[in-house]
């Protein structure tokens, strides 16, 4: 695979206390640099703005009001990008922020524009970091989760592979956080069959979409002929190991 979209979940980028995990970003930057030197092209879709906002301004934590949430994202997005910039700088890589909304994917003119921007960044050797523009996306019109955003981005860019990083090794037959005996599903050829055979459990701490949006993301890209891999992003050198087929994961064809 040459063109790879990598989606980083909140649970992957944040430490247990909600702060951004610098070690994770450092490892990511190194691996991305390594892959780019091999001629691969990388686009990142990253969550974590809200949790970064919460850990910056802890006192707002309990407010569920929509504008507070959006304000938290406005604060956290800066923290998030600052952390990305610092990590990628150590690898002499530039990053470019793209904040998108649902309308960007619905209107042909806007879609063409973001597509061209994305291609330009990648052609220039810059790593695009995509997120939903939470400060303008009210609940009713949001994409709502970055699994979907990552799938739409992969289709828009004609990616060869979508990788979702979460805090679990893949899809299990039951929620692995609650069932020690849960079994990993390594390969999914029929999503409808998968849904009949597994239990879908709750979203954990900082997550938004949960496992359902990941499965739907697979459907979205698979329809365009793009495979998707779900795996645990917190493992060391996960990207490199994954591409060498040496890591536990679920692949959707
Ligand atoms: P992220 O922030 O990485 O996108 P989410 O919290 O939204 O992650 O979704 C992943 C979580 O979904 C896992 O940590 C797991 O606890 C939960 N989950 C529920 N059911 C399943 C299942 N059948 N297989 C795997 N994970 C599941």
């Amino acid at each position: 695979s040459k063109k790879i979209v990598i989606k980083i979940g909140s649970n992957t980028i944040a430490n247990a206390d909600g702060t951004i995990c610098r070690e994770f970003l450092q490892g990511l930057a190194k691996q991305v640099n390594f892959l780019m030197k091999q001629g691969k092209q990388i686009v990142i879709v990253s969550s974590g703005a809200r949790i970064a906002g919460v850990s910056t301004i802890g006192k707002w934590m309990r407010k569920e009001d929509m504008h507070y949430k959006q304000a938290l994202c406005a604060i956290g997005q800066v923290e998030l990008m600052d952390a990305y910039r610092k990590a990628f700088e150590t690898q002499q890589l530039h990053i470019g922020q793209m904040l998108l909304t649902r309308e960007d994917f619905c209107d042909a003119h806007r879609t063409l524009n973001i597509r061209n921007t994305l291609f330009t960044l990648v052609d220039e050797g810059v790593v695009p970091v995509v997120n939903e523009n939470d400060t303008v996306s009210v609940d009713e019109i949001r994409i709502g989760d970055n699994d979907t955003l990552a799938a739409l981005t992969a289709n828009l860019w004609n990616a060869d592979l979508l990788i979702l990083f979460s805090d679990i090794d893949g899809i299990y037959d039951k929620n692995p956080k609650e069932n020690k005996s849960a079994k990993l599903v390594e390969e999914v050829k029929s999503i409808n069959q998968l849904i009949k055979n597994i239990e879908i459990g709750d979203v954990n701490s900082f997550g938004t979409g949960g496992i359902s949006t990941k499965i739907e993301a697979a459907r979205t890209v698979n329809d365009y002929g793009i495979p998707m891999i779900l795996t645990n992003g917190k493992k060391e050198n996960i990207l490199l190991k994954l591409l060498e087929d040496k890591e536990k994961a679920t692949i959707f064809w």
Side-chain angles (χ1 to χ4, degrees):
S1 324
K2 184 173 183 292
K3 298 164 73 177
I4 306 171
V5 175
I6 304 165
K7 182 259 174 174
I8 322 265
S10 303
N11 291 308
T12 310
I13 202 159
N15 294 310
D17 65 357
T19 54
I20 296 173
C21 182
R22 313 271 161 183
E23 298 74 33
F24 166 76
L25 281 181
Q26 197 55 57
L28 178 72
K30 276 193 187 146
Q31 294 174 76
V32 166
N33 189 25
F34 182 85
L35 293 174
M36 284 172 71
K37 286 203 169 118
Q38 293 184 341
K40 296 196 191 297
Q41 299 180 324
I42 311 283
V43 169
I44 292 174
V45 176
S46 183
S47 307
R50 187 162 159 212
I51 187 68
V54 170
S55 66
T56 309
I57 315 282
K59 60 183 176 183
W60 283 3
M61 211 135 143
R62 273 160 281 127
K63 303 223 172 164
E64 275 301 306
D65 166 83
M66 187 187 77
H67 292 114
Y68 275 100
K69 283 193 208 168
Q70 291 181 307
L72 284 176
C73 291
I75 296 163
Q77 182 66 25
V78 181
E79 299 292 323
L80 187 67
M81 294 311 283
D82 184 52
Y84 268 96
R85 191 181 61 76
K86 287 194 175 115
F88 279 73
E89 198 172 48
T90 67
Q91 307 301 306
Q92 280 80 49
L93 285 172
H94 291 293
I95 58 163
Q97 171 181 261
M98 290 185 73
L99 295 178
L100 306 179
T101 62
R102 179 171 285 286
E103 294 99 89
D104 292 324
F105 293 96
C106 298
D107 177 282
H109 185 71
R110 290 173 76 142
T111 304
L112 188 64
N113 266 325
I114 54 171
R115 197 168 186 273
N116 286 338
T117 308
L118 194 60
F119 274 91
T120 305
L121 285 169
V122 171
D123 283 348
E124 293 301 320
V126 174
V127 182
V129 182
V130 179
N131 197 1
E132 181 154 23
N133 193 350
D134 289 300
T135 53
V136 299
S137 299
V138 292
D139 276 350
E140 297 72 37
I141 57 156
R142 294 185 73 206
I143 297 171
D145 68 89
N146 275 352
D147 299 320
T148 308
L149 177 62
L152 294 172
T153 304
N155 285 352
L156 176 85
W157 187 42
N158 295 117
D160 298 310
L161 176 65
L162 170 62
I163 300 174
L164 302 187
F165 278 169
S166 189
D167 62 346
I168 30 132
D169 289 336
I171 304 276
Y172 286 79
D173 59 349
K174 305 183 189 91
N175 187 352
K177 295 276 172 65
E178 285 155 17
N179 301 277
K180 288 267 173 309
S181 65
K183 285 192 188 62
L184 182 70
V185 180
E186 290 185 5
E187 192 179 30
V188 177
K189 284 186 174 154
S190 160
I191 289 170
N192 290 339
Q193 202 61 45
L194 174 83
I195 293 172
K196 280 187 211 141
N197 292 337
I198 65 162
E199 276 172 33
I200 296 185
D202 286 341
V203 180
N204 70 52
S205 45
F206 313 132
T208 40
I211 216 70
S212 312
T213 56
K214 295 177 191 7
I215 295 170
E216 288 315 308
R219 199 193 296 276
T220 303
V221 294
N222 283 180
D223 282 349
Y224 275 66
I226 304 170
M228 187 189 98
I229 295 173
L230 171 63
T231 194
N232 187 338
K234 281 217 163 153
K235 289 187 176 169
E236 211 180 327
N237 280 327
I238 182 73
L239 262 182
L240 309 183
K241 285 190 196 148
L242 198 63
L243 296 174
E244 285 168 11
D245 222 3
K246 283 185 188 149
E247 219 17 281
K248 280 193 209 158
T250 301
I251 181 155
F252 297 78
W253 297 99

